[in-house]
Amino acid sequence: MFVIIAIAIWVCALVIWWVCSNAFRHSDLDKLKSRLLGTNKAKKTKATGQNASLIQTEEKGGLLATRLLKRYQLQTKFQEMLEQAGMRWSTHRLVNTCLVACVAGWALAWVLLPGQFQRFAYLPALLAGSLPLLYVMRKRTARMRRFEELFPDSLEFVARSMRAGHAFSVSLEMIHREFQEPLSGEFRRTFEEHNLGLPLDVALQKLAKRVPSLDVHFFVSAVLLQKRTGGNLAEILDKLAYVIRERFKLRGKIRAISAHGRMTGAALSCIPIGVAVIMFYANADYVRFFFLDDVGNIMLGCAIVLQLIGYFIMRQIVKIEV
């Protein structure tokens, strides 16, 4: 029975996802065909004095997703997050995925939970709705960490290339052939932007914006400063690579020293959850008070909020920026 219910919920989620993803696309496709073929719609647009663009900068993915993005001004933030994660998703697809996961989580919790606990089905729904966002953030963190690992080697490669007689812009293009993703893709994009007419300082500043790393900001500042004042750029890049590697060593030592504090914080945060699970099986009537009584609901909510506050405080205590 459980398998049948799970399959039914999954099929409904797929149907909702397909509807949200394909909503309002047919009208956009008709408009594009009319512009390319020069039909009456394109002539009517021209007659009214409106400029019809063949390239849409904003991708439409559904009325609900568009309203949410415009209301909370999340278009730019989500776009930067997806770009830093190296994912080819659109912001509307991310929002639609979160909404579908939220609805599926609520339906699954409503079916599986007992009758007295069905009013708490919104908690699994919120958790399921945040899973796509957490996945994107995890991909972004892993990609940025991989970029930082390859970055010192790329700086030394650029320094050696410049000593061999290559120009700085050509050295950026050579990184694409010698290094792996995500470093090769970011530097290739920077080279192509500069090769298509964008000033080098603007292309490097866009690189620093796409990769929010302190090391990249140091690199961009060093190159722009050398461009204005002069000097040996190859030597500057070698010293910068050395400094970045020393920061990695120091960061590793700090993580080793603070490992005890992080493990203690995790243990203290998991103890209340473990005690609640044990009490649920040992004395279920005692635990039901927190779910069935109004005062118990308030106490449970306050306990969860205070537990989260304590966890973030302990995390900030053991967190040291390098």
Side-chain angles (χ1 to χ4, degrees):
M1 184 65 182
F2 173 77
V3 177
I4 297 176
I5 295 174
I7 294 175
I9 294 174
W10 178 251
V11 172
C12 294
L14 289 178
V15 172
I16 296 173
W17 163 252
W18 183 83
V19 172
C20 294
S21 300
N22 293 276
F24 302 98
R25 286 188 179 179
H26 295 289
S27 60
D28 296 336
L29 184 60
D30 294 337
K31 291 180 181 179
L32 184 60
K33 288 182 179 180
S34 64
R35 290 169 184 166
L36 292 174
L37 299 176
T39 56
N40 294 330
K41 292 183 178 179
K43 295 179 181 179
K44 183 178 180 181
T45 304
K46 185 176 180 181
T48 55
Q50 298 176 355
N51 294 324
S53 176
L54 290 176
I55 301 177
Q56 297 288 340
T57 56
E58 182 179 359
E59 184 180 354
K60 295 182 179 180
L63 183 60
L64 181 58
T66 304
R67 287 183 176 179
L68 289 175
L69 290 173
K70 288 183 178 180
R71 175 167 183 156
Y72 297 102
Q73 298 179 354
L74 298 175
Q75 178 80 26
T76 305
K77 186 177 295 185
F78 281 175
Q79 187 65 38
E80 291 179 356
M81 186 185 302
L82 291 169
E83 189 174 6
Q84 292 168 3
M87 303 177 65
R88 297 185 179 275
W89 288 13
S90 63
T91 55
H92 300 89
R93 181 179 178 182
L94 177 60
V95 174
N96 289 331
T97 305
C98 293
L99 293 176
V100 171
C102 183
V103 173
W106 180 86
L108 185 62
W110 183 267
V111 172
L112 297 180
L113 288 177
Q116 62 269 25
F117 298 116
Q118 285 183 347
R119 56 178 176 173
F120 296 102
Y122 65 90
L123 295 177
L126 294 177
L127 179 60
S130 62
L131 289 179
L133 192 60
L134 294 176
Y135 173 74
V136 174
M137 295 174 66
R138 184 177 179 85
K139 292 276 290 184
R140 172 193 176 190
T141 303
R143 188 171 183 268
M144 293 297 103
R145 185 181 296 114
R146 180 59 177 168
F147 185 96
E148 292 179 349
E149 291 176 357
L150 298 174
F151 191 58
D153 296 333
S154 67
L155 295 182
E156 292 182 347
F157 176 82
V158 173
R160 291 194 299 267
S161 300
M162 295 183 66
R163 290 192 180 98
H166 296 287
F168 177 74
S169 58
V170 177
S171 301
L172 296 181
E173 196 273 336
M174 293 172 63
I175 292 178
H176 171 70
R177 299 194 299 266
E178 300 295 334
F179 288 87
Q180 301 175 356
E181 290 289 343
L183 189 137
S184 62
E186 293 293 341
F187 275 98
R188 178 178 177 83
R189 180 173 176 179
T190 302
F191 170 77
E192 289 178 349
E193 290 176 349
H194 175 60
N195 195 34
L196 292 174
L198 196 66
L200 181 61
D201 53 350
V202 178
L204 292 175
Q205 289 174 0
K206 293 182 67 175
L207 172 65
K209 185 178 180 181
R210 292 195 305 270
V211 184
S213 174
L214 186 62
D215 301 330
V216 178
H217 284 280
F218 285 159
F219 165 70
V220 173
S221 299
V223 173
L224 296 182
L225 184 62
Q226 188 274 340
K227 184 180 178 182
R228 297 175 183 176
T229 60
N232 190 350
L233 182 58
E235 184 178 357
I236 295 174
L237 295 180
D238 282 335
K239 292 182 178 179
L240 182 59
Y242 173 77
V243 171
I244 293 174
R245 286 197 173 94
E246 290 300 319
R247 288 182 63 247
F248 284 162
K249 294 180 182 178
L250 181 60
R251 185 183 302 175
K253 292 180 181 179
I254 292 176
R255 286 185 60 85
I257 295 173
S258 61
H260 180 269
R262 289 185 281 110
M263 292 179 63
T264 303
L268 292 176
S269 301
C270 294
I271 285 175
I273 301 176
V275 172
V277 174
I278 294 174
M279 289 299 297
F280 185 81
Y281 287 98
N283 191 357
D285 296 333
Y286 180 79
V287 179
R288 286 196 183 97
F289 164 76
F290 295 98
F291 295 95
L292 302 180
D293 193 88
D294 294 336
V295 179
N297 294 337
I298 297 175
M299 295 175 63
L300 180 61
C302 294
I304 293 175
V305 172
L306 292 176
Q307 185 69 23
L308 292 175
I309 293 174
Y311 171 75
F312 285 113
I313 290 176
M314 290 186 291
R315 186 175 180 180
Q316 290 298 322
I317 290 174
V318 299
K319 183 179 179 181
I320 302 175
E321 294 291 341
V322 181

